[in-house]
Amino acid sequence: MPHLARILLYPIKSLDAVEVQKAIVLKSSSLEFDREFTIVDEQGRFVNGKRHAKIQLIRSKFSLENRNIYLQFPNNDSLQVFNLDTEQLSLAATLSNFFGFAVTLKQNSVMGFPDDTNSPGPTVISTATLTEVASWFPGVSVDEMRRRIRANIEIDGVPAFWEDRLFDASGETLPFQVGDVVFFGVNPCQRCVVPTRDSYLGQADPNFQKIFVQQRQATMPKWVATSRFKTFYSLSVNTILPTSEAGKVLKIGDIVKI
């Protein structure tokens, strides 16, 4: 039976995820703590994986309860600990030193900093999809593909590309339910340069996107509304949630229904 198998939050945009057993839905459609912070340069531009591959060299862990981040930088085995509420300036100074230019930390506890502000709900993918896509690239594990795609919620008990049922050709949002939380599927998520790179080293595979597009077309189920794809370099589904769902909780094991 389709069920919620994994919830991943990214407290600081472009840094590592924290896996949780449950997550609270915000009024904005986002999940609490997801992309709550982002790193920006002096011009206010995001310092993220799209623009700066170097960010992928940073390892991070989070304690959501204590609001702490634990950072490990290349060639340094020690962890540096910062409180996300009281030590933002120290954290920004440390990150500035790493990047070689001044950065600051921005915070948005209402919606976070989603890539698609028109569809700020959790991105959805299936475990089977990640398994299939990883098989297209020798040496890339399912977990590595998961780290590259960076979806929020993962559904198991379904076939590969099941999530492509969550949008249709009409362009209307498509309702589905996870536990008692109502979602609307919006569209397939167009990918950027990040999935082409090793998530630990930041090194890009120059053939990744070409192989991905070829395999995506070759394995596309016949029932998929292909007219909704601006490019076949797309994976996972963007969502939005009604404001009525604010405060509800997603939990591992929740049954998924379309």
Side-chain angles (χ1 to χ4, degrees):
M1 183 173 291
H3 63 275
L4 179 54
R6 196 179 300 263
I7 305 171
L8 295 170
L9 306 177
Y10 301 84
I12 298 183
K13 189 178 181 74
S14 295
L15 294 189
D16 291 338
V18 56
E19 186 170 350
V20 298
Q21 295 298 303
K22 58 184 180 180
I24 297 173
V25 176
L26 300 178
K27 188 176 181 179
S28 62
S29 294
S30 298
L31 298 180
E32 186 179 29
F33 307 128
D34 188 50
R35 278 98 171 173
E36 180 181 355
F37 296 90
T38 190
I39 305 165
V40 297
D41 63 17
E42 290 184 301
Q43 287 73 45
R45 296 173 299 201
F46 287 158
V47 178
N48 56 19
K50 294 178 185 177
R51 293 188 172 98
H52 301 277
K54 189 176 181 181
I55 200 170
Q56 295 183 271
L57 301 177
I58 303 173
R59 301 278 64 79
S60 57
K61 294 183 179 180
F62 298 89
S63 171
L64 298 179
E65 181 179 359
N66 297 325
R67 300 283 287 171
N68 286 340
I69 179 174
Y70 304 81
L71 293 180
Q72 184 177 5
F73 293 97
N75 304 314
N76 190 336
D77 292 333
S78 63
L79 291 176
Q80 299 189 45
V81 185
F82 302 90
N83 184 272
L84 289 170
D85 296 321
T86 63
E87 297 180 299
Q88 292 184 20
L89 292 178
S90 296
L91 173 56
T94 299
L95 290 169
S96 296
N97 183 62
F98 171 73
F99 286 112
F101 56 86
V103 302
T104 56
L105 209 62
K106 290 183 66 176
Q107 182 178 8
N108 184 335
S109 300
V110 175
M111 187 171 70
F113 297 91
D115 286 337
D116 187 342
T117 55
N118 293 318
S119 306
T123 46
V124 180
I125 200 165
S126 72
T127 306
T129 296
L130 290 170
T131 302
E132 169 66 22
V133 176
S135 74
W136 301 343
F137 302 95
V140 174
S141 68
V142 176
D143 190 58
E144 169 64 10
M145 188 57 63
R146 180 178 290 119
R147 287 174 53 84
R148 295 186 185 200
I149 300 301
R150 300 174 66 83
N152 288 121
I153 64 176
E154 191 173 313
I155 309 302
D156 205 356
V158 295
F161 310 118
W162 169 91
E163 65 275 5
D164 289 339
R165 296 181 182 275
L166 303 180
F167 56 87
D168 63 21
S170 72
E172 298 294 323
T173 56
L174 191 67
F176 64 101
Q177 194 163 331
V178 181
D180 65 349
V181 180
V182 175
F183 286 69
F184 288 99
V186 179
N187 56 6
C189 182
Q190 188 171 328
R191 310 316 306 192
C192 64
V193 67
V194 171
T196 71
R197 300 199 199 110
D198 183 298
S199 68
Y200 291 93
L201 302 176
Q203 296 173 348
D205 176 353
N207 297 313
F208 184 95
Q209 186 170 342
K210 180 180 178 181
I211 294 170
F212 184 103
V213 169
Q214 290 173 341
Q215 291 295 327
R216 188 75 161 107
Q217 288 181 286
T219 59
M220 185 77 67
K222 293 181 179 179
W223 44 260
V224 174
T226 55
S227 61
R228 298 299 309 284
F229 286 78
K230 293 181 179 179
T231 169
F232 288 110
Y233 185 52
S234 300
L235 198 72
S236 78
V237 173
N238 294 321
T239 70
I240 193 166
L241 285 70
T243 56
S244 59
E245 306 311 284
K248 291 185 178 181
V249 179
L250 293 169
K251 302 179 297 295
I252 296 299
D254 279 349
I255 301 304
V256 180
K257 300 177 182 178
I258 298 180

